[in-house]
Amino acid sequence: MHYGNGKTTPCEDVLPNQISTCSDLNTTAFVDRMIRVENPDLIIFTGDNIYGFDATDAEKSLNSAFAPAIRSNLSWAAILGNHDQESTLSREGVMRHIVRMRHTLSQLNPPVSDAPDIDGFGNYNLQIRGVEASKFENKSALNLYLLDSGDYSTVSSIPGYGWIKPSQQFWFQQTSLKLKNAYMKKPQPQKDSAPGLAYFHIPLPEFASFDSTNFTGVKQEGISSPSINSGFFTTMLEAGDVKAVFTGHDHVNDFCGVLSGINLCYAGGFGYHAYGKAGWDRRARVVLATLEKTEKKSWGAVKSIRTWKRLDDQHLTTIDSQVLWTKTSSGRRRKRIQSGL
Amino acid sequence: MHYGNGKTTPCEDVLPNQISTCSDLNTTAFVDRMIRVENPDLIIFTGDNIYGFDATDAEKSLNSAFAPAIRSNLSWAAILGNHDQESTLSREGVMRHIVRMRHTLSQLNPPVSDAPDIDGFGNYNLQIRGVEASKFENKSALNLYLLDSGDYSTVSSIPGYGWIKPSQQFWFQQTSLKLKNAYMKKPQPQKDSAPGLAYFHIPLPEFASFDSTNFTGVKQEGISSPSINSGFFTTMLEAGDVKAVFTGHDHVNDFCGVLSGINLCYAGGFGYHAYGKAGWDRRARVVLATLEKTEKKSWGAVKSIRTWKRLDDQHLTTIDSQVLWTKTSSGRRRKRIQSGL
């Protein structure tokens, strides 16, 4: 969202006829419109929620940025980008403020007993249970992993952006394993993990594996990943449950490409006080998980995961609809043999 | 060493006039010669200690392979390669056998309290204290990290060799931090970590960053790293203390190249029952750490780390002598700005 101070904060990269009337309030209006048109069960904000350099009061800016989510009474969750801490609160301060807000499922970090030394703020797992009164009502049928991909490198020999650290990867791996074991137990023991989705701000180096022949969407700028590879793609491949990753950071890339069975997707540039491309609409990604119907007219596991984007144009046009994953009879997607970076 | 069954196990890739008399015993003789000529304080074996496919009894093969080290009464340590488990013992079994042998400093894994869920066998840290009666006598002045880089990928979508996992990286990172904190405390508080050296079998993807213009030694085959990057190079850069990495695995590469301040070095192909290059001598790498002399004629911190290789020729010829690291007044090597893979 790149929120600043509200109506006094101007838009960037909009058409000349939009400049005079455009502000952070356009970002707010777009959140409202997305909520009305999609009526989602959960809203996820993928970082750079506020653009700290221009927000004079971090708390006020955060309150304004998330106000549409809060007043919708829907559940919402947020993670940190690389700009959230540039105003009057530290990264920890921003995340501590967020977790106290209404209707949020955001968490500061896992319980200390699970991950005593985890790096960053806003690393957590959300478990989405099956339908009430179905055999999946006490199982997590869809697992969300939300992680703090940091801001900038603090290692003098490595320039550029931050990355997901061993402590976070170890927590992710252990959490994924626990969830898998639980999912494969009674009732309705499953053959494999429930599908997982990962959300963090900064794209992985593996996002650079694609070109227009093998992705859906557009790539209009370089991949601003860290300058080194910290191995999280490998860790996800090994865990085996994550079917798609959603990141922010690059505002004018909005593609999804699949590498070794994991979809690497941009969420799409959303905020108006953020670089973008004049005439190229701000956009947001929607993710839909559909459940299996069981024989006894009840609901089972997740059957498929689809995605599309909505443009902030007159009709909130839907584009780039695609299937990210479907459950096969063995519970696994067909294997793809392809090597990464 | 690629040890098999001893004198009945033939050599590979030696000259025609060597074939009839060459066996594992040539490997044994080379260990003996290296010990005599260098009289080292510690011998490190970097995996594929035995070539399991051809060893009919793993215990016997291990006993023979390490016999020269044991009878020398020197300290020695070993880690696993990708072939050690191909005989009658599992990876855990091989490592459990090794740690019970005489004079070894090898360990199965860190204490469970430090790393309850670590992957692999033979992940451990050796601390080399300063000179007795000096101010460094209770400080670790040189830290060795020995890790199990696995054998093969167990993830169906990733072909090829194994890799260092998040659990191992997290343990390494925490160990490095503890050692740094201790080193910066009294007596003789230091400004930065003591230098560290890392040993594991399979080279990292970053070993492919060099060509003959920026390494010392030779590259006569591809870098057989895992097909994906699990981030250990990044983790070492962030920890900041490791100055050099030594691996085995590729028998006819023997170079050292420096990337972002970390030397990536091959140990050099040693064993005779192993692929190699006829007429290109088997070889071993020596590492020498030199201490500072303090004002009061005592000994201080590590001042420099040098390396060279010895060829198994008539004169045990020394080649490719080079300085890997020197302590600067601030305790840090001059920063190099260079981005990795």
Side-chain angles (χ1 to χ4, degrees):
Chain A
M1 291 187 288
H2 264 237
Y3 215 85
N5 297 317
K7 70 167 186 265
T8 59
T9 300
C11 297
E12 293 178 29
D13 298 329
V14 291
L15 294 172
N17 64 348
Q18 299 174 304
I19 291 173
S20 62
T21 57
C22 190
S23 75
D24 277 345
L25 300 189
N26 290 56
T27 303
T28 301
F30 187 23
V31 184
D32 282 329
R33 295 183 80 198
M34 282 299 298
I35 291 170
R36 270 201 307 276
V37 71
E38 291 286 357
N39 188 29
D41 294 305
L42 174 66
I43 308 166
I44 299 187
F45 298 95
T46 54
D48 289 358
N49 307 290
I50 63 172
Y51 184 68
F53 275 128
D54 293 335
T56 36
D57 181 320
E59 296 196 17
K60 279 187 188 166
S61 184
L62 288 164
N63 293 347
S64 300
F66 295 121
I70 290 169
R71 66 175 169 254
S72 74
N73 291 324
L74 299 170
S75 295
W76 63 277
I79 47 176
L80 297 180
N82 53 305
H83 288 302
D84 290 288
Q85 77 289 345
E86 291 161 347
S87 176
T88 51
L89 289 174
S90 64
R91 292 178 79 74
E92 181 174 359
V94 169
M95 206 63 216
R96 283 191 184 279
H97 184 77
I98 289 174
V99 301
R100 285 193 305 260
M101 295 175 86
R102 281 179 64 209
H103 305 312
T104 194
L105 302 178
S106 306
Q107 294 168 30
L108 185 65
N109 265 333
V112 171
S113 56
D114 282 7
D117 299 303
I118 200 160
D119 285 88
F121 301 97
N123 299 286
Y124 53 105
N125 161 239
L126 298 177
Q127 300 170 25
I128 303 178
R129 294 188 181 181
V131 171
E132 244 180 299
S134 81
K135 289 194 172 159
F136 284 76
E137 71 173 343
N138 290 315
K139 272 184 183 306
S140 178
L142 180 67
N143 296 309
L144 309 187
Y145 301 98
L146 298 101
L147 295 111
D148 178 3
S149 53
D151 49 5
Y152 300 95
S153 168
T154 55
V155 180
S156 58
S157 59
I158 311 177
Y161 293 108
W163 56 84
I164 298 173
K165 307 291 173 71
S167 62
Q168 297 168 285
Q169 299 189 37
F170 187 45
W171 162 76
F172 159 78
Q173 193 181 47
Q174 291 196 308
T175 305
S176 167
L177 183 62
K178 270 185 221 166
L179 291 166
K180 179 180 181 173
N181 288 338
Y183 198 59
M184 292 170 75
K185 281 205 182 107
K186 291 180 184 175
Q188 289 303 92
Q190 299 294 301
K191 288 179 189 156
D192 202 349
S193 310
L197 304 174
Y199 291 84
F200 45 91
H201 185 72
I202 299 174
L204 301 171
E206 286 80 0
F207 273 64
S209 310
F210 309 109
D211 58 41
S212 57
T213 66
N214 56 8
F215 66 50
T216 303
V218 297
K219 178 180 177 178
Q220 302 176 121
E221 65 182 315
I223 309 299
S224 298
S225 59
S227 63
I228 41 69
N229 191 326
S230 81
F232 190 53
F233 186 76
T234 298
T235 300
M236 286 191 290
L237 270 184
E238 192 173 10
D241 59 337
V242 172
K243 308 307 172 192
V245 168
F246 303 99
T247 70
H249 202 46
D250 294 336
H251 303 186
V252 296
N253 292 336
D254 75 348
F255 65 79
C256 269
V258 65
L259 182 69
S260 303
I262 299 180
N263 292 276
L264 301 179
C265 302
Y266 282 103
F270 189 96
Y272 280 89
H273 181 59
Y275 80 84
K277 199 172 160 184
W280 190 74
D281 295 304
R282 262 63 173 180
R283 60 202 58 215
R285 184 175 291 283
V286 182
V287 177
L288 177 66
T290 308
L291 299 180
E292 295 181 316
K293 270 216 160 141
T294 60
E295 288 167 13
K296 292 170 185 169
K297 293 193 177 171
S298 182
W299 298 94
V302 171
K303 183 177 71 178
S304 73
I305 299 172
R306 288 195 293 142
T307 188
W308 57 85
K309 285 164 289 185
R310 290 272 193 180
L311 306 184
D312 193 22
D313 61 10
Q314 197 187 342
H315 303 288
L316 290 162
T317 305
T318 295
I319 63 164
D320 294 343
S321 184
Q322 65 183 119
V323 174
L324 295 177
W325 178 78
T326 50
K327 190 181 178 218
T328 59
S329 52
S330 75
R332 277 182 175 280
R333 192 182 172 83
R334 198 166 61 255
K335 291 168 192 99
R336 285 156 186 271
I337 306 294
Q338 192 174 354
S339 68
L341 284 187
Chain B
M1 291 188 288
H2 264 237
Y3 214 85
N5 298 317
K7 69 166 185 265
T8 59
T9 301
C11 297
E12 293 178 29
D13 299 328
V14 290
L15 295 172
N17 64 347
Q18 300 174 305
I19 291 173
S20 62
T21 57
C22 190
S23 74
D24 277 345
L25 300 189
N26 291 56
T27 303
T28 301
F30 186 24
V31 184
D32 282 329
R33 297 183 79 199
M34 282 300 298
I35 291 171
R36 271 201 307 276
V37 72
E38 290 286 357
N39 188 29
D41 294 306
L42 173 66
I43 308 166
I44 299 188
F45 298 95
T46 54
D48 288 358
N49 307 290
I50 64 171
Y51 184 67
F53 274 128
D54 294 335
T56 33
D57 182 318
E59 296 196 17
K60 281 187 187 166
S61 185
L62 288 163
N63 293 348
S64 301
F66 295 120
I70 290 169
R71 67 176 169 253
S72 74
N73 290 323
L74 298 170
S75 294
W76 63 277
I79 46 175
L80 298 179
N82 53 305
H83 288 302
D84 290 288
Q85 77 290 344
E86 291 162 347
S87 176
T88 51
L89 289 174
S90 65
R91 293 178 78 74
E92 181 174 359
V94 169
M95 206 61 217
R96 283 191 183 277
H97 184 77
I98 289 173
V99 301
R100 285 192 304 260
M101 295 174 87
R102 282 180 63 211
H103 305 312
T104 194
L105 302 178
S106 305
Q107 294 169 30
L108 185 66
N109 265 334
V112 171
S113 57
D114 282 6
D117 299 302
I118 200 160
D119 285 88
F121 301 98
N123 299 287
Y124 54 105
N125 161 238
L126 297 177
Q127 299 170 26
I128 303 179
R129 294 187 181 182
V131 172
E132 244 179 299
S134 80
K135 289 193 173 159
F136 284 77
E137 71 173 344
N138 290 315
K139 270 182 184 303
S140 178
L142 180 66
N143 296 308
L144 309 186
Y145 301 98
L146 298 102
L147 295 112
D148 178 3
S149 52
D151 51 3
Y152 300 95
S153 168
T154 55
V155 181
S156 58
S157 58
I158 312 177
Y161 293 109
W163 56 85
I164 298 173
K165 307 291 173 71
S167 62
Q168 297 168 284
Q169 299 188 37
F170 187 46
W171 162 75
F172 158 79
Q173 193 182 47
Q174 290 195 309
T175 304
S176 167
L177 184 62
K178 271 185 218 165
L179 291 166
K180 179 179 182 175
N181 288 338
Y183 199 60
M184 293 169 75
K185 282 205 180 107
K186 291 181 185 175
Q188 288 302 94
Q190 299 294 300
K191 288 179 189 157
D192 203 348
S193 311
L197 304 174
Y199 292 84
F200 46 91
H201 184 72
I202 299 174
L204 301 172
E206 285 80 0
F207 273 63
S209 309
F210 309 110
D211 57 43
S212 57
T213 65
N214 56 8
F215 66 50
T216 302
V218 297
K219 179 180 177 178
Q220 303 176 119
E221 64 182 313
I223 309 299
S224 298
S225 59
S227 62
I228 41 69
N229 192 326
S230 81
F232 190 52
F233 185 76
T234 298
T235 300
M236 286 190 291
L237 270 185
E238 192 172 11
D241 59 337
V242 172
K243 307 308 173 193
V245 168
F246 304 100
T247 70
H249 202 47
D250 294 337
H251 303 186
V252 297
N253 291 335
D254 74 347
F255 65 79
C256 270
V258 65
L259 182 69
S260 302
I262 299 180
N263 292 276
L264 302 179
C265 301
Y266 282 103
F270 190 97
Y272 280 89
H273 181 58
Y275 80 84
K277 199 172 158 184
W280 190 74
D281 295 304
R282 263 62 174 181
R283 60 203 57 215
R285 184 176 291 283
V286 182
V287 177
L288 177 66
T290 309
L291 298 180
E292 295 181 315
K293 270 212 162 147
T294 59
E295 289 167 14
K296 294 171 185 169
K297 292 192 176 170
S298 183
W299 298 94
V302 171
K303 183 177 70 178
S304 73
I305 300 172
R306 288 195 292 142
T307 187
W308 57 84
K309 285 164 289 186
R310 290 272 193 180
L311 305 184
D312 192 22
D313 61 11
Q314 198 187 339
H315 303 288
L316 289 163
T317 306
T318 295
I319 62 164
D320 294 344
S321 185
Q322 65 182 119
V323 174
L324 295 177
W325 178 79
T326 50
K327 190 181 178 217
T328 59
S329 53
S330 73
R332 278 181 175 278
R333 192 184 172 82
R334 199 169 59 256
K335 290 167 194 102
R336 286 158 185 269
I337 305 295
Q338 191 173 358
S339 69
L341 285 187

